[in-house]
Amino acid sequence: MKLRANVTVKGLVQGVNFRYLTRQTAKRLGVTGWVTNLPDGSVAGCFEGEEASVQALIDWCRRGPGAARVDEVLVERQQFHGEFAEFIVRR
């Protein structure tokens, strides 16, 4: 089953390559969507794909790259839209 997840990652997640490594992980998992920095220091993303792949990307976000400190991950699951052709880093 395919789904969409809107994700917000809080903690020390900017300036540690979080967005770029999220994109790399998403591409490896076959997940489409986007990731971006937010003004409050968190990172937000919208992930679409097979449920197991989206969950694997969310699980990766809970750990993040080695230099990150993830304090909280908020996830809102939604119906799959098929909106994205690839996974990008939004600026």
Side-chain angles (χ1 to χ4, degrees):
M1 182 170 92
K2 292 187 175 187
L3 65 86
R4 170 186 281 216
N6 290 318
V7 178
T8 303
V9 184
K10 298 183 178 189
L12 177 59
V13 293
Q14 291 189 12
V16 293
N17 289 317
F18 200 100
R19 293 176 300 157
Y20 297 99
L21 292 171
T22 300
R23 181 185 64 190
Q24 181 179 17
T25 304
K27 286 184 175 191
R28 182 175 48 81
L29 293 168
V31 174
T32 61
W34 54 266
V35 65
T36 191
N37 284 340
L38 296 178
D40 68 357
S42 62
V43 169
C46 183
F47 308 157
E48 284 198 336
E50 293 295 333
E51 184 174 10
S53 297
V54 170
Q55 186 58 54
L57 185 55
I58 293 168
D59 291 344
W60 182 88
C61 287
R62 292 185 194 287
R63 296 182 305 274
R69 186 194 76 242
V70 177
D71 294 334
E72 183 178 19
V73 178
L74 306 172
V75 179
E76 178 188 352
R77 296 175 189 274
Q78 298 180 342
Q79 183 176 345
F80 179 78
H81 293 220
E83 181 178 342
F84 311 108
E86 61 183 338
F87 197 96
I88 63 168
V89 174
R90 286 188 177 172
R91 300 185 199 293

